Amino acid sequence: MKTFAFVFPGQGSQSVGMLDAWSDHPVVAQTLQEASDALGEDVAKLIHEGPKEALALTTNTQPVMLVAGVAAWRVWQAEGGALPAAVAGHSLGEYSALVASGVLTLAQAAPLVRLRAAAMQEAVPVGTGAMAAILGLEAAKVIAGCAEATAALGNSAEVVEAVNFNDPAQTVIAGSKAAVEKACEMLKAAGAKRALPLPVSAPFHSSLMKPAAEKLRLALAETVLAAPQIPVLNNIDVAVQQDADAIRDALYRQAFGPVRWVECVQALKARGISHIIECGPGKVLAGLVKRIDAELVGAALYDPTTLTQTKELLA
């Protein structure tokens, strides 16, 4: 069998009905019920019916993406899928990876990510923060451009930072609205092909999220973590941690630090992994894998058809 890793998607991959293809699978029904009990609401109805606007609310997006990733993982296990050599997750997806590894239960993780989402939204009022994807420019130039934009505004309240290193030519920036707009303008002048504003409600992973991270830190301190059963490669340090306090600290810092996805994929390859399977809705991470390293095989697992394809691919 091929040496493979599972990776879990974060915000942006949600869609109404994203678990419908598995609606009759008992493991999915059980997962939805667990999440509903933990959150005190009907998560299955929210995912099945939406509406889209409700799913797009950060306080809903983060729990439903957690649940969808865990559901796909549990179907894989129930259908006799082998254990991956490692797991990781993009941003919020790291929580799905920790559930897959046994560090957190779903009942622990669901309220935790809802708290994380609510704290992030409260940290920066809607409309005052922004994010944008910078395409066609190497990461080092994006970092430099953000520093120049911040300096040009000359106001300590205006910040913009590189926060998601998604592939060698796609970096997401975040910060205060004026600073993000200034950076987009300067980065296009520096050679970026496009600077696309993202439809998000807060500047995730920027230093503006520090107040949210403090609330999360308090909740994490009270959360009992089990030892990982599968190595979990984290976003913030591109490292595998075994110690519970080190895992808590990484999750705390991840809330206001960058998602180093390019390095995460490279680190998985360095562990001897040849196939990286996105577990959960969408194909975003599978696509990034190929752009980060053409030698790696990226695939997605999100319905019965792709489950069969993934088994065949890894055989």
Side-chain angles (χ1 to χ4, degrees), residues 69-113:
V70 170
W73 163 253
R74 288 180 172 178
V75 170
W76 171 256
Q77 286 188 299
E79 298 298 327
L83 284 182
V87 291
H90 189 284
S91 182
L92 161 72
E94 195 165 297
Y95 288 81
S96 303
L98 288 164
V99 174
S101 180
V103 175
L104 288 167
T105 64
L106 181 59
Q108 287 176 308
L112 203 54
V113 298

Tab-separated table of all heavy atoms in Angstrom, residues 69-113:
chain	number	residue	atom	x	y	z
A	69	GLY	N	-15.555	16.950	8.104
A	69	GLY	CA	-14.255	16.279	8.007
A	69	GLY	C	-14.209	15.012	8.838
A	69	GLY	O	-13.725	13.965	8.385
A	70	VAL	N	-14.737	15.095	10.063
A	70	VAL	CA	-14.751	13.931	10.953
A	70	VAL	C	-15.664	12.840	10.382
A	70	VAL	O	-15.337	11.644	10.449
A	70	VAL	CB	-15.190	14.344	12.377
A	70	VAL	CG1	-15.446	13.118	13.258
A	70	VAL	CG2	-14.138	15.247	13.015
A	71	ALA	N	-16.795	13.240	9.793
A	71	ALA	CA	-17.712	12.260	9.196
A	71	ALA	C	-17.022	11.477	8.075
A	71	ALA	O	-17.115	10.240	8.020
A	71	ALA	CB	-18.958	12.966	8.658
A	72	ALA	N	-16.316	12.183	7.199
A	72	ALA	CA	-15.611	11.509	6.097
A	72	ALA	C	-14.540	10.562	6.644
A	72	ALA	O	-14.366	9.442	6.152
A	72	ALA	CB	-14.981	12.550	5.170
A	73	TRP	N	-13.832	11.005	7.675
A	73	TRP	CA	-12.800	10.176	8.309
A	73	TRP	C	-13.414	8.903	8.900
A	73	TRP	O	-12.879	7.803	8.733
A	73	TRP	CB	-12.108	10.995	9.404
A	73	TRP	CG	-11.333	10.181	10.392
A	73	TRP	CD1	-11.670	9.914	11.690
A	73	TRP	CD2	-10.078	9.505	10.164
A	73	TRP	NE1	-10.716	9.130	12.281
A	73	TRP	CE2	-9.728	8.863	11.374
A	73	TRP	CE3	-9.241	9.392	9.064
A	73	TRP	CZ2	-8.559	8.125	11.506
A	73	TRP	CZ3	-8.069	8.643	9.200
A	73	TRP	CH2	-7.738	8.019	10.402
A	74	ARG	N	-14.546	9.049	9.577
A	74	ARG	CA	-15.169	7.887	10.217
A	74	ARG	C	-15.729	6.907	9.185
A	74	ARG	O	-15.705	5.690	9.411
A	74	ARG	CB	-16.263	8.355	11.169
A	74	ARG	CG	-15.700	9.017	12.415
A	74	ARG	CD	-16.812	9.477	13.339
A	74	ARG	NE	-16.313	9.951	14.628
A	74	ARG	CZ	-17.091	10.430	15.585
A	74	ARG	NH1	-18.405	10.479	15.420
A	74	ARG	NH2	-16.572	10.848	16.729
A	75	VAL	N	-16.227	7.428	8.064
A	75	VAL	CA	-16.680	6.529	6.989
A	75	VAL	C	-15.488	5.742	6.462
A	75	VAL	O	-15.567	4.519	6.253
A	75	VAL	CB	-17.361	7.318	5.847
A	75	VAL	CG1	-17.603	6.410	4.649
A	75	VAL	CG2	-18.685	7.923	6.320
A	76	TRP	N	-14.363	6.417	6.254
A	76	TRP	CA	-13.142	5.755	5.781
A	76	TRP	C	-12.770	4.594	6.713
A	76	TRP	O	-12.480	3.483	6.264
A	76	TRP	CB	-12.004	6.775	5.701
A	76	TRP	CG	-10.639	6.196	5.442
A	76	TRP	CD1	-9.629	6.016	6.344
A	76	TRP	CD2	-10.129	5.713	4.186
A	76	TRP	NE1	-8.520	5.461	5.741
A	76	TRP	CE2	-8.805	5.266	4.415
A	76	TRP	CE3	-10.660	5.623	2.901
A	76	TRP	CZ2	-8.005	4.745	3.396
A	76	TRP	CZ3	-9.860	5.103	1.887
A	76	TRP	CH2	-8.558	4.669	2.137
A	77	GLN	N	-12.814	4.866	8.001
A	77	GLN	CA	-12.481	3.818	8.978
A	77	GLN	C	-13.512	2.689	8.955
A	77	GLN	O	-13.146	1.511	8.962
A	77	GLN	CB	-12.428	4.427	10.381
A	77	GLN	CG	-11.212	5.281	10.656
A	77	GLN	CD	-11.155	5.670	12.118
A	77	GLN	OE1	-12.052	6.333	12.626
A	77	GLN	NE2	-10.123	5.253	12.811
A	78	ALA	N	-14.791	3.054	8.933
A	78	ALA	CA	-15.868	2.064	8.953
A	78	ALA	C	-15.838	1.154	7.728
A	78	ALA	O	-16.231	-0.012	7.798
A	78	ALA	CB	-17.225	2.768	9.040
A	79	GLU	N	-15.355	1.706	6.614
A	79	GLU	CA	-15.302	0.934	5.368
A	79	GLU	C	-13.960	0.213	5.184
A	79	GLU	O	-13.612	-0.204	4.083
A	79	GLU	CB	-15.575	1.863	4.174
A	79	GLU	CG	-16.956	2.513	4.186
A	79	GLU	CD	-18.088	1.502	4.118
A	79	GLU	OE1	-17.917	0.450	3.483
A	79	GLU	OE2	-19.145	1.761	4.729
A	80	GLY	N	-13.212	0.089	6.260
A	80	GLY	CA	-11.981	-0.704	6.234
A	80	GLY	C	-10.752	0.011	5.733
A	80	GLY	O	-9.742	-0.633	5.391
A	81	GLY	N	-10.785	1.350	5.686
A	81	GLY	CA	-9.628	2.109	5.232
A	81	GLY	C	-8.464	1.992	6.210
A	81	GLY	O	-8.670	1.922	7.425
A	82	ALA	N	-7.257	1.973	5.681
A	82	ALA	CA	-6.052	1.864	6.517
A	82	ALA	C	-5.757	3.187	7.210
A	82	ALA	O	-6.246	4.242	6.801
A	82	ALA	CB	-4.860	1.458	5.656
A	83	LEU	N	-4.941	3.121	8.264
A	83	LEU	CA	-4.552	4.348	8.967
A	83	LEU	C	-3.492	5.099	8.168
A	83	LEU	O	-2.551	4.489	7.653
A	83	LEU	CB	-3.985	4.014	10.348
A	83	LEU	CG	-4.959	3.619	11.450
A	83	LEU	CD1	-4.199	3.382	12.745
A	83	LEU	CD2	-6.023	4.686	11.665
A	84	PRO	N	-3.606	6.419	8.070
A	84	PRO	CA	-2.575	7.202	7.391
A	84	PRO	C	-1.296	7.287	8.226
A	84	PRO	O	-1.329	7.071	9.448
A	84	PRO	CB	-3.219	8.582	7.251
A	84	PRO	CG	-4.238	8.652	8.332
A	84	PRO	CD	-4.712	7.252	8.555
A	85	ALA	N	-0.193	7.613	7.580
A	85	ALA	CA	1.084	7.758	8.283
A	85	ALA	C	1.123	9.047	9.096
A	85	ALA	O	1.904	9.170	10.045
A	85	ALA	CB	2.233	7.746	7.274
A	86	ALA	N	0.282	10.019	8.708
A	86	ALA	CA	0.201	11.297	9.424
A	86	ALA	C	-1.097	11.984	9.023
A	86	ALA	O	-1.718	11.636	8.013
A	86	ALA	CB	1.399	12.182	9.087
A	87	VAL	N	-1.505	12.969	9.830
A	87	VAL	CA	-2.663	13.805	9.495
A	87	VAL	C	-2.284	15.270	9.716
A	87	VAL	O	-1.372	15.582	10.488
A	87	VAL	CB	-3.919	13.454	10.331
A	87	VAL	CG1	-4.470	12.092	9.961
A	87	VAL	CG2	-3.623	13.524	11.834
A	88	ALA	N	-2.996	16.141	9.018
A	88	ALA	CA	-2.826	17.587	9.191
A	88	ALA	C	-4.125	18.245	8.761
A	88	ALA	O	-4.978	17.601	8.142
A	88	ALA	CB	-1.648	18.108	8.367
A	89	GLY	N	-4.262	19.519	9.073
A	89	GLY	CA	-5.462	20.238	8.637
A	89	GLY	C	-5.123	21.680	8.356
A	89	GLY	O	-4.253	22.263	9.003
A	90	HIS	N	-5.820	22.266	7.376
A	90	HIS	CA	-5.587	23.667	7.021
A	90	HIS	C	-6.407	24.545	7.956
A	90	HIS	O	-7.634	24.497	7.946
A	90	HIS	CB	-5.999	23.895	5.561
A	90	HIS	CG	-5.614	25.239	5.025
A	90	HIS	ND1	-6.295	26.382	5.365
A	90	HIS	CD2	-4.620	25.618	4.180
A	90	HIS	CE1	-5.734	27.412	4.745
A	90	HIS	NE2	-4.717	26.980	4.024
A	91	SER	N	-5.699	25.319	8.795
A	91	SER	CA	-6.375	26.231	9.723
A	91	SER	C	-7.328	25.454	10.624
A	91	SER	O	-6.919	24.562	11.365
A	91	SER	CB	-7.098	27.322	8.924
A	91	SER	OG	-7.732	28.259	9.767
A	92	LEU	N	-8.614	25.753	10.536
A	92	LEU	CA	-9.636	25.056	11.311
A	92	LEU	C	-9.539	23.539	11.135
A	92	LEU	O	-9.843	22.766	12.058
A	92	LEU	CB	-11.006	25.549	10.839
A	92	LEU	CG	-12.216	24.684	11.161
A	92	LEU	CD1	-12.523	24.776	12.627
A	92	LEU	CD2	-13.396	25.101	10.326
A	93	GLY	N	-9.118	23.069	9.963
A	93	GLY	CA	-9.017	21.640	9.688
A	93	GLY	C	-8.104	20.899	10.647
A	93	GLY	O	-8.197	19.673	10.793
A	94	GLU	N	-7.222	21.645	11.327
A	94	GLU	CA	-6.334	21.016	12.301
A	94	GLU	C	-7.127	20.375	13.446
A	94	GLU	O	-6.713	19.367	14.017
A	94	GLU	CB	-5.347	22.048	12.849
A	94	GLU	CG	-4.179	21.443	13.585
A	94	GLU	CD	-3.050	22.449	13.792
A	94	GLU	OE1	-2.469	22.930	12.797
A	94	GLU	OE2	-2.758	22.747	14.971
A	95	TYR	N	-8.296	20.943	13.757
A	95	TYR	CA	-9.140	20.366	14.802
A	95	TYR	C	-9.719	19.025	14.349
A	95	TYR	O	-9.814	18.083	15.137
A	95	TYR	CB	-10.246	21.343	15.200
A	95	TYR	CG	-9.722	22.519	16.005
A	95	TYR	CD1	-9.120	23.604	15.379
A	95	TYR	CD2	-9.803	22.526	17.396
A	95	TYR	CE1	-8.616	24.676	16.113
A	95	TYR	CE2	-9.310	23.591	18.145
A	95	TYR	CZ	-8.711	24.658	17.490
A	95	TYR	OH	-8.204	25.718	18.223
A	96	SER	N	-10.098	18.924	13.066
A	96	SER	CA	-10.562	17.634	12.520
A	96	SER	C	-9.436	16.612	12.591
A	96	SER	O	-9.660	15.440	12.932
A	96	SER	CB	-11.020	17.801	11.065
A	96	SER	OG	-12.030	18.768	10.944
A	97	ALA	N	-8.218	17.059	12.290
A	97	ALA	CA	-7.050	16.161	12.339
A	97	ALA	C	-6.818	15.666	13.763
A	97	ALA	O	-6.497	14.489	13.976
A	97	ALA	CB	-5.809	16.889	11.815
A	98	LEU	N	-7.004	16.532	14.733
A	98	LEU	CA	-6.815	16.143	16.133
A	98	LEU	C	-7.892	15.156	16.597
A	98	LEU	O	-7.618	14.268	17.402
A	98	LEU	CB	-6.803	17.387	17.030
A	98	LEU	CG	-5.535	18.245	16.902
A	98	LEU	CD1	-5.761	19.621	17.509
A	98	LEU	CD2	-4.337	17.562	17.554
A	99	VAL	N	-9.113	15.297	16.072
A	99	VAL	CA	-10.167	14.314	16.371
A	99	VAL	C	-9.814	12.975	15.716
A	99	VAL	O	-9.923	11.919	16.347
A	99	VAL	CB	-11.555	14.813	15.895
A	99	VAL	CG1	-12.607	13.714	16.075
A	99	VAL	CG2	-11.975	16.055	16.680
A	100	ALA	N	-9.363	13.020	14.476
A	100	ALA	CA	-8.981	11.783	13.772
A	100	ALA	C	-7.861	11.050	14.512
A	100	ALA	O	-7.835	9.818	14.575
A	100	ALA	CB	-8.539	12.110	12.345
A	101	SER	N	-6.953	11.819	15.104
A	101	SER	CA	-5.821	11.239	15.826
A	101	SER	C	-6.177	10.793	17.240
A	101	SER	O	-5.366	10.152	17.910
A	101	SER	CB	-4.680	12.265	15.885
A	101	SER	OG	-3.579	11.749	16.574
A	102	GLY	N	-7.378	11.154	17.687
A	102	GLY	CA	-7.814	10.752	19.024
A	102	GLY	C	-7.414	11.715	20.130
A	102	GLY	O	-7.639	11.435	21.310
A	103	VAL	N	-6.819	12.867	19.773
A	103	VAL	CA	-6.405	13.855	20.783
A	103	VAL	C	-7.635	14.507	21.415
A	103	VAL	O	-7.689	14.724	22.620
A	103	VAL	CB	-5.490	14.924	20.141
A	103	VAL	CG1	-5.152	16.024	21.145
A	103	VAL	CG2	-4.210	14.278	19.614
A	104	LEU	N	-8.611	14.830	20.577
A	104	LEU	CA	-9.874	15.412	21.015
A	104	LEU	C	-11.018	14.491	20.613
A	104	LEU	O	-10.935	13.819	19.574
A	104	LEU	CB	-10.113	16.762	20.336
A	104	LEU	CG	-9.273	17.964	20.748
A	104	LEU	CD1	-9.467	19.097	19.737
A	104	LEU	CD2	-9.650	18.444	22.139
A	105	THR	N	-12.095	14.471	21.395
A	105	THR	CA	-13.321	13.821	20.929
A	105	THR	C	-14.107	14.860	20.137
A	105	THR	O	-13.869	16.073	20.269
A	105	THR	CB	-14.183	13.349	22.111
A	105	THR	OG1	-14.616	14.504	22.852
A	105	THR	CG2	-13.398	12.409	23.026
A	106	LEU	N	-15.047	14.410	19.337
A	106	LEU	CA	-15.891	15.350	18.603
A	106	LEU	C	-16.709	16.197	19.582
A	106	LEU	O	-16.911	17.395	19.366
A	106	LEU	CB	-16.816	14.604	17.640
A	106	LEU	CG	-17.743	15.479	16.787
A	106	LEU	CD1	-16.955	16.465	15.933
A	106	LEU	CD2	-18.638	14.599	15.902
A	107	ALA	N	-17.142	15.584	20.682
A	107	ALA	CA	-17.924	16.310	21.689
A	107	ALA	C	-17.106	17.429	22.336
A	107	ALA	O	-17.660	18.450	22.750
A	107	ALA	CB	-18.419	15.343	22.754
A	108	GLN	N	-15.791	17.258	22.424
A	108	GLN	CA	-14.918	18.323	22.932
A	108	GLN	C	-14.664	19.385	21.853
A	108	GLN	O	-14.674	20.587	22.114
A	108	GLN	CB	-13.560	17.748	23.340
A	108	GLN	CG	-13.525	16.927	24.600
A	108	GLN	CD	-12.134	16.352	24.821
A	108	GLN	OE1	-11.560	15.724	23.927
A	108	GLN	NE2	-11.586	16.558	26.005
A	109	ALA	N	-14.400	18.904	20.644
A	109	ALA	CA	-13.948	19.800	19.567
A	109	ALA	C	-15.046	20.728	19.070
A	109	ALA	O	-14.778	21.895	18.752
A	109	ALA	CB	-13.392	18.975	18.405
A	110	ALA	N	-16.282	20.254	18.991
A	110	ALA	CA	-17.359	21.074	18.413
A	110	ALA	C	-17.593	22.376	19.206
A	110	ALA	O	-17.582	23.462	18.620
A	110	ALA	CB	-18.641	20.258	18.286
A	111	PRO	N	-17.761	22.307	20.537
A	111	PRO	CA	-17.923	23.565	21.283
A	111	PRO	C	-16.656	24.435	21.244
A	111	PRO	O	-16.735	25.662	21.264
A	111	PRO	CB	-18.221	23.111	22.714
A	111	PRO	CG	-18.611	21.682	22.615
A	111	PRO	CD	-17.909	21.140	21.411
A	112	LEU	N	-15.495	23.781	21.173
A	112	LEU	CA	-14.230	24.513	21.142
A	112	LEU	C	-14.115	25.349	19.864
A	112	LEU	O	-13.737	26.527	19.911
A	112	LEU	CB	-13.075	23.508	21.234
A	112	LEU	CG	-11.719	23.978	21.737
A	112	LEU	CD1	-11.818	24.666	23.088
A	112	LEU	CD2	-10.765	22.785	21.815
A	113	VAL	N	-14.462	24.758	18.732
A	113	VAL	CA	-14.350	25.524	17.481
A	113	VAL	C	-15.458	26.579	17.384
A	113	VAL	O	-15.252	27.637	16.786
A	113	VAL	CB	-14.327	24.633	16.211
A	113	VAL	CG1	-13.138	23.710	16.219
A	113	VAL	CG2	-15.601	23.861	16.015
